[in-house]
Amino acid sequence: MVKKRMVIILIMIQLAIFGLIGRLVQLQLVSTESFHGINLIEASVAQRTEQLVIDDGRGVFVDRNGQPLTYEYIPTLVLFPFLKKMDWPIDQIAAIVSVPKEVLNRQLEEAKGPIILHDGQQPIQLQPWQMERINDLRIPGVIAVHKQYELKQKYAQHVIGLLGENEKVLKERYADRNLSPKTKIGVSGLQSSFDEFLIPDEETKLLYHVDARGEPLFSMDVKYTEQANPFYPITVQTTIDRTLQQRVEQIVAQHGMEKGAVVLLDVRTNDVVALASAPAIDERDPYKDGAMENKALLPQVPGSVFKIVVAAAALENGLVHGQTFNCDRKINGEQEEKKKGMRSFEDSFAISCNRTFGELGKQLIAIDENMFDVYARKLGLLPRVGWEGDVYHFSSFRPLREEKKGNIWTDERDKKIPLAVAQTSIGQKDVRLSPLAVANMMATIARGGEAKQVRITKKMMYKNGTTFFTFDEKRLTMDSLQKETIDKLQELLQLVVTHPEGTGRSFQSLPYAVAGKSGTAETGKGELVNKWFAGYFPADRPKYALVVVQLETTSSASVTNAIFADIVRVTYDLEEKGRYEE
């Protein structure tokens, strides 16, 4: 009985040993790279490695002058913690960086991993000669590098967009690439549009190996690993001017605009110089109050800004003959609260008389029911206005992929209803235009009638600085207004400001002469309206087109004109300092 029991025990021991051996074989030989989803080899190496990421490997954005918009690269000194356990020429390094050696010793004593030599919260920035002297010494654990840092000042967040981790989407997009599940991808803005060009191949990092006790393996120097591809990551050069972008965002914030957008275009190139959307994005809660929406790219009710389209169509179709219009009446024939009397076409435009444009609109649709659509396209309002084209192996690539199409009619039957036509003529009913599109219309007029696509990116560059792809200027349409019509529209837009009753007369004292058009659009939400001012400046030699819209505000609380005026003043100040000389 005892003998039988001992046999059973021995068999169990043998089975346990075989089980352990099998498990060891599985761990060491069979499932080393896929044990419960874990790469045991990589995990083992990581456990014996100390490292410092220098660059996450993702492509970056810069402004039109090459100034960084996402990350900056600061020349810094990296120290590894094993230095505190060995003799090294600390006096030499302290002398080169002009920092007392006590500071270096203290920071090393507190270090639990590789550190950047710092002064409080800021890294100590090195000069090129300092970096060269430090690296020439070839001291193990002491190396000068350009370390990537996220900019503290956020620029054009709605344009650039945000990054986020999403392992499922990452695998769906990049199934053929061996990427870490922690790799960040673009979730909005240009980060999303250009994600396939920006996604990193590998991090750039410094690392060294340690033994089981955490002691350095001195036979192995600190290693510098970087992306194997010498051309990546890509740098995307935008058309944004970082200084003007910052000032525009400050002005919007100072005036407390809670919801709206600002678009500033370079008239000659049709480039976005600055673009802001309110509310600003809080990265801790980016979707709060719809902040992630770029209001500049979304169609809004334009109100009287749309009268520019009606004016252009009326001029080219011979409907303006010096007649007068009864501006004491509304478009439905009812009495206006404020009587404005009989007015000429020019006066009607300057004071924004609804009756005049309601009547002209009905005459135009009677001639051709597609009249508004035709002239909206000629003026660069429809369908979308952002740059679109073939890029590398992507057809119809759109940097501003969040831009939505504008709209004039929702129900074609409305073209047969006089009141609906009149409402459409003054930018109400179903008319929806994005601030970007309205800015494009102003730039088209200021430029002399040539409608272009709006550019937000100039080019993509390889890591070595050579150009990978250029976003050339492109026409939006070849169908333009007659020169006489453009000349008259420019005259009318200036009259809005110079006329004693003009809706833009408050801009008469600005350092640049302004031409433009106001708009007050009913939103269907009680007294809340969209307040617009769209224009360009200087009026006699146009350089910038500017649109400011405050959404869902009351007329009395509107800060649209104040923001517009301040941006003109800021631009004037920068121009006068010679910053934008050709």
Side-chain angles (χ1 to χ4, degrees), residues 320-331:
V320 179
H321 304 291
Q323 71 272 42
T324 58
F325 301 86
N326 185 1
C327 293
D328 287 340
R329 298 288 178 182
K330 298 180 181 180
I331 57 173

Side-chain angles (χ1 to χ4, degrees), residues 22-221:
R23 187 66 159 177
L24 188 61
V25 169
Q26 182 186 20
L27 291 174
Q28 295 292 325
L29 301 175
V30 179
S31 301
T32 54
E33 297 184 19
S34 59
F35 182 72
H36 294 300
I38 300 172
N39 188 316
L40 296 175
I41 295 176
E42 289 184 357
S44 175
V45 172
Q47 193 175 34
R48 294 181 284 109
T49 303
E50 293 284 352
Q51 67 179 21
L52 177 70
V53 175
I54 302 300
D55 187 331
D56 67 7
R58 186 175 178 84
V60 298
F61 293 91
V62 297
D63 82 342
R64 67 196 307 182
N65 302 307
Q67 293 296 309
L69 294 174
T70 49
Y71 297 99
E72 61 182 336
Y73 292 85
I74 299 177
T76 57
L77 175 62
V78 179
L79 301 174
F80 280 76
F82 61 71
L83 290 167
K84 55 191 172 186
K85 298 181 181 181
M86 59 181 284
D87 291 327
W88 62 288
I90 186 171
D91 293 307
Q92 278 186 271
I93 297 299
I96 293 173
V97 298
S98 300
V99 173
K101 69 177 183 179
E102 290 78 17
V103 173
L104 274 68
N105 273 325
R106 186 175 66 251
Q107 293 189 20
L108 276 171
E109 286 299 324
E110 296 172 352
K112 296 180 180 177
I115 62 166
I116 301 293
L117 183 64
H118 59 275
D119 179 12
Q121 300 296 319
Q122 301 295 325
I124 293 177
Q125 297 193 36
L126 304 179
Q127 297 298 321
W129 68 268
Q130 292 173 306
M131 296 186 71
E132 184 176 356
R133 285 188 60 186
I134 290 168
N135 290 333
D136 283 347
L137 292 173
R138 298 184 180 279
I139 304 169
V142 180
I143 184 169
V145 297
H146 285 86
K147 173 79 168 67
Q148 180 191 61
Y149 285 90
E150 189 173 354
L151 292 177
K152 291 186 177 180
Q153 169 69 49
K154 304 294 184 181
Y155 298 98
Q157 279 187 290
H158 286 92
V159 173
I160 302 301
L162 300 183
L163 298 172
E165 291 181 13
N166 190 319
E167 187 175 353
K168 181 181 178 182
V169 175
L170 180 71
K171 288 181 178 179
E172 290 174 352
R173 285 189 191 174
Y174 308 109
D176 58 336
R177 300 178 66 172
N178 184 26
L179 298 173
S180 164
K182 295 293 184 181
T183 301
K184 290 184 177 181
I185 57 177
V187 296
S188 67
L190 298 181
Q191 291 282 20
S192 176
S193 302
F194 285 86
D195 198 52
E196 294 205 33
F197 296 104
L198 303 173
I199 201 77
D201 283 335
E202 188 179 352
E203 296 173 329
T204 298
K205 53 194 174 186
L206 297 171
L207 53 85
Y208 74 102
H209 299 287
V210 297
D211 60 21
R213 295 175 299 173
E215 299 290 337
L217 297 174
F218 290 109
S219 61
M220 303 178 70
D221 291 334

